Amino acid sequence: MNFSHNRIYKFFAFCTSFSYRHAPWVLLIALLFTVASAVYTARNLGMNTDTTNMLSEHLPFRINSVRYDKAFPQDSDILLLVLSAPTPEQVYSAADRLATLLRKDNKNFSSVYAPGVEDFFGRNGLLYEDIPQLERITDHLAEAQPLIAQISHDPTLYSFVKLLTRAVDELNNGQHLELGPVFKGVGETLDTRLAGKSRPLSWQTLFRGDPAKNSYQEIIIVKPRPDYSELLPGQKPILAVRAAAEEAGLTDEGPIQLRITGDVALADDELKSSLDGMEIAGVVTFIMVGGVLYSAMHTVGMTLAVLICLVTGLILTAAFATIAIGQLNVISIAFAVLYIGLGADFAIHFLLRFREMLDGGQFMNDAVYRAGGEAGVALAACTVANALGFYAFIPTSYSGVAELGIISGTGMLISLVVTFIVGPALLRYLSGKPMLESNGRKTLGKVLGFSLRWQKLTHISAGLLLLLAIVLWPQIRFDYNLLNMQDPKGEAVKTFRELLASPEHSPWYAVVLADDRKEIQPLKEKLAQLPEVSKVVSIFDFVPQDQETKLAIIEEMSLIMGPGLSMTKPAVHEYSVLQQRQALTGLDAALDRFIVQQPDAPVSASAQKLRDSVRSLLGRLETAGNNENTALLHSLEGDLLSTLPVALQRLYNLIEAAPFNEQELPESVSSRWHSHTGEYLMAIYPSANIGDDESLRRFVRSIQQVAPQATGMPVISLEAGDAVIGAFVQAFSLALVGVVVALLIMLRSIKYTVLVLIPLLLSSIFTGVFTVLLDIPFNFANIIALPLLLGLGIDSSLHMVHRSMDNKVENEVLIHTSTARAIFYSALTALVDFASLMFSSHKGTASMGTLLTVGLAFTLICTLIILPSLLRKPVQRAAA
């Protein structure tokens, strides 16, 4: 096949010669145009990190999601503020202070909902308890009331110890007192203080008779005002939360910890982790790419020429994106990655073909002309195939990928223009001296010659890999869990996973909307019967049952507690260190008598632990100085009594409960379950951990059988994953059809079209199989690598087949040509570019780096080892 008279050949040959002859003007115009594009892009290109609108609103699950967001906007794009403290009193007070401060910040937050500190639940919380629990609380209060009344009049360590001593004596005399939790709580408080830390005694747990926990939580749901024009939309609201927390007295060193998670925080953390270290990695990668290019070109000048073409094309492509779309999203921003991987390929093929002409003894002008013509024909075919492949993404329902297709497809056309306009002009000044063939070239040819010497072994190995693929192909999977893509060490991710493990606070539930309140109960009963569902919550659950009976018990509590107690400490009640030591010695003796006289009592074990703690404290007081003792006892007094005022105030609020119905629910509660447009919300919680894909799919599909309109995070994750898979299958199907048609038109041969496609298909199959062997499933991040592998696969195999069809190259061994070297160094450049991604803390980015590395390695193997063995016979016949 002779290309010397081909119109495409002549066109590119003319372009390269013209640019070479008029290099100063071409470079000046290119520089001005590039600078203008860079300035325009910097001033006008926006960034949209909102991922909710990247899938078509016409998809059924998106329709349900949009309806949910419109009906209950306070549930989407939120921050979850998780406060943790050793006692419920501490975390309650901190949540109250923080929520109050955040409500004042209308600039950064549109709503703040703190259910744990809402006045409504603060008054009516006991109505949500069951009747046996209320009776148990009443009994505990009856036993604790004398202690509470006396300590309220003299809230000091001395008074508390004396009261506890009398209680132990009464217990020893046969009085029935439930002192086990008190002994345990006081003992733990003493031990923690002696260890130099603080663990306040929780009076609330003592009032209720609840077992003490290691930590207590309150959650504040905040609706921030994110700025999606910023790279990190939630950064300002998150910083505002941190500032408010500091104002509320919450510090990293304090006992009360604040952690931030939720949609907005997770999205920001994901972007930060994916960009973390990119500046340094980018510089290192650029230097390494330069080194690879120098090993290919063997001159500094031609290496610079490739890099200049690459940067110029990247800027012009960004300018096109600015004009055509106006903004980038988290998917389309990958055009830069795609361009670096494919754009360098164009310049490398042209310049290595030029070098081959010079090494063949041709003069500079002739070398530029012939290299432009021969490389231009092959690169034009690659550009058409690549552009069609990328443009095939446009009709998909995944707008993020569709925009990526528009930008990357046009970027391939821009790269072709830059290569044959700017590239030849740069050769005028950067070509360097012709060099003899290096040992590296000979070594590469020898390595690649293996496939020709051992052709049967090559085919057998490929066949065995295909058999392995048949076995493992069904195990290829897609990971729908967005959390698995993120840095597991990030605060937002760790906190979110902890919430998922807690049925009480799990933010991962499905949602069903009902238009009529009459639909709620029948639908709720059907959903609750599903084995995959643990509970279903609706607005009906916020109106307690048996209110009259419960209010009667609460009235009894009120009578037990009597009028509100003052916690003001009288100034006259100040006790010396000696008096407090004597009180502690008396407690030690009382505990010792009880343990000796009643060793089989139910509270004997906890009494013995408290006695040991008291003796340890007395031992410390004997050895320490007076000032140190004063400080220790003062701190201990705070540990034992600081939470009592808050616990008492909450208790007195709770015994003021009154009956109410649905209409009397406060707006802050009812609006979260009954929208202003009339929809009712039902929250459906899973009975099992839905962190794995199979459990997630079972949970969502079972709900959809009863309520097809279900939405919420689990539904969106599953359906979005299916939509993304569907979009890529559609895009790659269209791309494959478009590429096949383009190849048939350009090559005018079914045989050579098949030969171009074989490496592409084989590398795709092998890459898919290795995702199973490496346990790296496809996900929302690494699936973006597929367009790049598609482009590189088409480019590489088309270059090889195109060169083999050139009958003018007589008796040429294909693997020793500049084409094989260009394919190798292009792939090596891309490998260097993407290998650093494997070490990213962002798991999605790291998996994308691994997938690209494996995929490019298989592309090289299939193109430079398997394909030459398939092309050997056609080449031999042409040579004959």
mmCIF file with all atom_site columns, all heavy atoms in Angstrom, residues 761-772:
data_model
loop_
_atom_site.group_PDB
_atom_site.id
_atom_site.type_symbol
_atom_site.label_atom_id
_atom_site.label_alt_id
_atom_site.label_comp_id
_atom_site.label_asym_id
_atom_site.label_entity_id
_atom_site.label_seq_id
_atom_site.pdbx_PDB_ins_code
_atom_site.Cartn_x
_atom_site.Cartn_y
_atom_site.Cartn_z
_atom_site.occupancy
_atom_site.B_iso_or_equiv
_atom_site.pdbx_formal_charge
_atom_site.auth_seq_id
_atom_site.auth_comp_id
_atom_site.auth_asym_id
_atom_site.auth_atom_id
_atom_site.pdbx_PDB_model_num
ATOM 1  N N   . LEU A 1 761 ? -9.123  -5.973  22.531 1.00 0.00 ? 761 LEU A N   1
ATOM 2  C CA  . LEU A 1 761 ? -10.041 -6.875  23.228 1.00 0.00 ? 761 LEU A CA  1
ATOM 3  C C   . LEU A 1 761 ? -9.295  -7.766  24.225 1.00 0.00 ? 761 LEU A C   1
ATOM 4  O O   . LEU A 1 761 ? -9.759  -7.995  25.341 1.00 0.00 ? 761 LEU A O   1
ATOM 5  C CB  . LEU A 1 761 ? -10.804 -7.722  22.211 1.00 0.00 ? 761 LEU A CB  1
ATOM 6  C CG  . LEU A 1 761 ? -11.720 -6.943  21.252 1.00 0.00 ? 761 LEU A CG  1
ATOM 7  C CD1 . LEU A 1 761 ? -12.343 -7.885  20.230 1.00 0.00 ? 761 LEU A CD1 1
ATOM 8  C CD2 . LEU A 1 761 ? -12.800 -6.209  22.034 1.00 0.00 ? 761 LEU A CD2 1
ATOM 9  N N   . LEU A 1 762 ? -8.125  -8.277  23.802 1.00 0.00 ? 762 LEU A N   1
ATOM 10 C CA  . LEU A 1 762 ? -7.353  -9.142  24.699 1.00 0.00 ? 762 LEU A CA  1
ATOM 11 C C   . LEU A 1 762 ? -6.901  -8.391  25.952 1.00 0.00 ? 762 LEU A C   1
ATOM 12 O O   . LEU A 1 762 ? -7.020  -8.898  27.074 1.00 0.00 ? 762 LEU A O   1
ATOM 13 C CB  . LEU A 1 762 ? -6.133  -9.708  23.966 1.00 0.00 ? 762 LEU A CB  1
ATOM 14 C CG  . LEU A 1 762 ? -6.394  -10.800 22.921 1.00 0.00 ? 762 LEU A CG  1
ATOM 15 C CD1 . LEU A 1 762 ? -5.096  -11.205 22.249 1.00 0.00 ? 762 LEU A CD1 1
ATOM 16 C CD2 . LEU A 1 762 ? -7.076  -12.011 23.560 1.00 0.00 ? 762 LEU A CD2 1
ATOM 17 N N   . SER A 1 763 ? -6.380  -7.188  25.770 1.00 0.00 ? 763 SER A N   1
ATOM 18 C CA  . SER A 1 763 ? -5.915  -6.423  26.936 1.00 0.00 ? 763 SER A CA  1
ATOM 19 C C   . SER A 1 763 ? -7.069  -6.075  27.856 1.00 0.00 ? 763 SER A C   1
ATOM 20 O O   . SER A 1 763 ? -6.917  -6.068  29.089 1.00 0.00 ? 763 SER A O   1
ATOM 21 C CB  . SER A 1 763 ? -5.200  -5.144  26.485 1.00 0.00 ? 763 SER A CB  1
ATOM 22 O OG  . SER A 1 763 ? -6.065  -4.301  25.755 1.00 0.00 ? 763 SER A OG  1
ATOM 23 N N   . SER A 1 764 ? -8.243  -5.808  27.294 1.00 0.00 ? 764 SER A N   1
ATOM 24 C CA  . SER A 1 764 ? -9.418  -5.512  28.121 1.00 0.00 ? 764 SER A CA  1
ATOM 25 C C   . SER A 1 764 ? -9.817  -6.730  28.945 1.00 0.00 ? 764 SER A C   1
ATOM 26 O O   . SER A 1 764 ? -10.111 -6.630  30.144 1.00 0.00 ? 764 SER A O   1
ATOM 27 C CB  . SER A 1 764 ? -10.594 -5.071  27.244 1.00 0.00 ? 764 SER A CB  1
ATOM 28 O OG  . SER A 1 764 ? -10.275 -3.915  26.509 1.00 0.00 ? 764 SER A OG  1
ATOM 29 N N   . ILE A 1 765 ? -9.813  -7.909  28.295 1.00 0.00 ? 765 ILE A N   1
ATOM 30 C CA  . ILE A 1 765 ? -10.174 -9.145  28.999 1.00 0.00 ? 765 ILE A CA  1
ATOM 31 C C   . ILE A 1 765 ? -9.167  -9.455  30.101 1.00 0.00 ? 765 ILE A C   1
ATOM 32 O O   . ILE A 1 765 ? -9.533  -9.758  31.240 1.00 0.00 ? 765 ILE A O   1
ATOM 33 C CB  . ILE A 1 765 ? -10.267 -10.315 28.001 1.00 0.00 ? 765 ILE A CB  1
ATOM 34 C CG1 . ILE A 1 765 ? -11.457 -10.102 27.046 1.00 0.00 ? 765 ILE A CG1 1
ATOM 35 C CG2 . ILE A 1 765 ? -10.406 -11.642 28.740 1.00 0.00 ? 765 ILE A CG2 1
ATOM 36 C CD1 . ILE A 1 765 ? -11.497 -11.084 25.899 1.00 0.00 ? 765 ILE A CD1 1
ATOM 37 N N   . PHE A 1 766 ? -7.879  -9.362  29.776 1.00 0.00 ? 766 PHE A N   1
ATOM 38 C CA  . PHE A 1 766 ? -6.841  -9.673  30.758 1.00 0.00 ? 766 PHE A CA  1
ATOM 39 C C   . PHE A 1 766 ? -6.891  -8.694  31.935 1.00 0.00 ? 766 PHE A C   1
ATOM 40 O O   . PHE A 1 766 ? -6.701  -9.082  33.092 1.00 0.00 ? 766 PHE A O   1
ATOM 41 C CB  . PHE A 1 766 ? -5.464  -9.644  30.107 1.00 0.00 ? 766 PHE A CB  1
ATOM 42 C CG  . PHE A 1 766 ? -5.268  -10.701 29.037 1.00 0.00 ? 766 PHE A CG  1
ATOM 43 C CD1 . PHE A 1 766 ? -4.315  -10.534 28.035 1.00 0.00 ? 766 PHE A CD1 1
ATOM 44 C CD2 . PHE A 1 766 ? -6.041  -11.842 29.024 1.00 0.00 ? 766 PHE A CD2 1
ATOM 45 C CE1 . PHE A 1 766 ? -4.134  -11.496 27.048 1.00 0.00 ? 766 PHE A CE1 1
ATOM 46 C CE2 . PHE A 1 766 ? -5.875  -12.815 28.043 1.00 0.00 ? 766 PHE A CE2 1
ATOM 47 C CZ  . PHE A 1 766 ? -4.917  -12.640 27.053 1.00 0.00 ? 766 PHE A CZ  1
ATOM 48 N N   . THR A 1 767 ? -7.127  -7.424  31.641 1.00 0.00 ? 767 THR A N   1
ATOM 49 C CA  . THR A 1 767 ? -7.209  -6.429  32.715 1.00 0.00 ? 767 THR A CA  1
ATOM 50 C C   . THR A 1 767 ? -8.379  -6.730  33.633 1.00 0.00 ? 767 THR A C   1
ATOM 51 O O   . THR A 1 767 ? -8.263  -6.651  34.863 1.00 0.00 ? 767 THR A O   1
ATOM 52 C CB  . THR A 1 767 ? -7.349  -5.010  32.124 1.00 0.00 ? 767 THR A CB  1
ATOM 53 O OG1 . THR A 1 767 ? -6.243  -4.729  31.267 1.00 0.00 ? 767 THR A OG1 1
ATOM 54 C CG2 . THR A 1 767 ? -7.398  -3.969  33.229 1.00 0.00 ? 767 THR A CG2 1
ATOM 55 N N   . GLY A 1 768 ? -9.531  -7.083  33.038 1.00 0.00 ? 768 GLY A N   1
ATOM 56 C CA  . GLY A 1 768 ? -10.697 -7.428  33.843 1.00 0.00 ? 768 GLY A CA  1
ATOM 57 C C   . GLY A 1 768 ? -10.435 -8.610  34.752 1.00 0.00 ? 768 GLY A C   1
ATOM 58 O O   . GLY A 1 768 ? -10.834 -8.632  35.918 1.00 0.00 ? 768 GLY A O   1
ATOM 59 N N   . VAL A 1 769 ? -9.729  -9.617  34.227 1.00 0.00 ? 769 VAL A N   1
ATOM 60 C CA  . VAL A 1 769 ? -9.417  -10.806 35.028 1.00 0.00 ? 769 VAL A CA  1
ATOM 61 C C   . VAL A 1 769 ? -8.496  -10.450 36.190 1.00 0.00 ? 769 VAL A C   1
ATOM 62 O O   . VAL A 1 769 ? -8.684  -10.934 37.313 1.00 0.00 ? 769 VAL A O   1
ATOM 63 C CB  . VAL A 1 769 ? -8.773  -11.889 34.142 1.00 0.00 ? 769 VAL A CB  1
ATOM 64 C CG1 . VAL A 1 769 ? -8.189  -13.001 35.000 1.00 0.00 ? 769 VAL A CG1 1
ATOM 65 C CG2 . VAL A 1 769 ? -9.800  -12.456 33.180 1.00 0.00 ? 769 VAL A CG2 1
ATOM 66 N N   . PHE A 1 770 ? -7.535  -9.585  35.949 1.00 0.00 ? 770 PHE A N   1
ATOM 67 C CA  . PHE A 1 770 ? -6.588  -9.244  37.009 1.00 0.00 ? 770 PHE A CA  1
ATOM 68 C C   . PHE A 1 770 ? -7.222  -8.384  38.091 1.00 0.00 ? 770 PHE A C   1
ATOM 69 O O   . PHE A 1 770 ? -6.696  -8.300  39.199 1.00 0.00 ? 770 PHE A O   1
ATOM 70 C CB  . PHE A 1 770 ? -5.344  -8.568  36.424 1.00 0.00 ? 770 PHE A CB  1
ATOM 71 C CG  . PHE A 1 770 ? -4.216  -9.541  36.206 1.00 0.00 ? 770 PHE A CG  1
ATOM 72 C CD1 . PHE A 1 770 ? -4.266  -10.467 35.176 1.00 0.00 ? 770 PHE A CD1 1
ATOM 73 C CD2 . PHE A 1 770 ? -3.126  -9.560  37.045 1.00 0.00 ? 770 PHE A CD2 1
ATOM 74 C CE1 . PHE A 1 770 ? -3.248  -11.387 34.976 1.00 0.00 ? 770 PHE A CE1 1
ATOM 75 C CE2 . PHE A 1 770 ? -2.098  -10.466 36.866 1.00 0.00 ? 770 PHE A CE2 1
ATOM 76 C CZ  . PHE A 1 770 ? -2.147  -11.396 35.836 1.00 0.00 ? 770 PHE A CZ  1
ATOM 77 N N   . THR A 1 771 ? -8.353  -7.718  37.811 1.00 0.00 ? 771 THR A N   1
ATOM 78 C CA  . THR A 1 771 ? -9.065  -7.041  38.893 1.00 0.00 ? 771 THR A CA  1
ATOM 79 C C   . THR A 1 771 ? -9.595  -8.051  39.900 1.00 0.00 ? 771 THR A C   1
ATOM 80 O O   . THR A 1 771 ? -9.728  -7.747  41.085 1.00 0.00 ? 771 THR A O   1
ATOM 81 C CB  . THR A 1 771 ? -10.230 -6.193  38.347 1.00 0.00 ? 771 THR A CB  1
ATOM 82 O OG1 . THR A 1 771 ? -11.207 -7.045  37.734 1.00 0.00 ? 771 THR A OG1 1
ATOM 83 C CG2 . THR A 1 771 ? -9.748  -5.167  37.351 1.00 0.00 ? 771 THR A CG2 1
ATOM 84 N N   . VAL A 1 772 ? -9.882  -9.258  39.433 1.00 0.00 ? 772 VAL A N   1
ATOM 85 C CA  . VAL A 1 772 ? -10.314 -10.334 40.335 1.00 0.00 ? 772 VAL A CA  1
ATOM 86 C C   . VAL A 1 772 ? -9.129  -10.870 41.119 1.00 0.00 ? 772 VAL A C   1
ATOM 87 O O   . VAL A 1 772 ? -9.188  -11.031 42.336 1.00 0.00 ? 772 VAL A O   1
ATOM 88 C CB  . VAL A 1 772 ? -10.995 -11.469 39.543 1.00 0.00 ? 772 VAL A CB  1
ATOM 89 C CG1 . VAL A 1 772 ? -11.380 -12.613 40.483 1.00 0.00 ? 772 VAL A CG1 1
ATOM 90 C CG2 . VAL A 1 772 ? -12.217 -10.947 38.805 1.00 0.00 ? 772 VAL A CG2 1
#
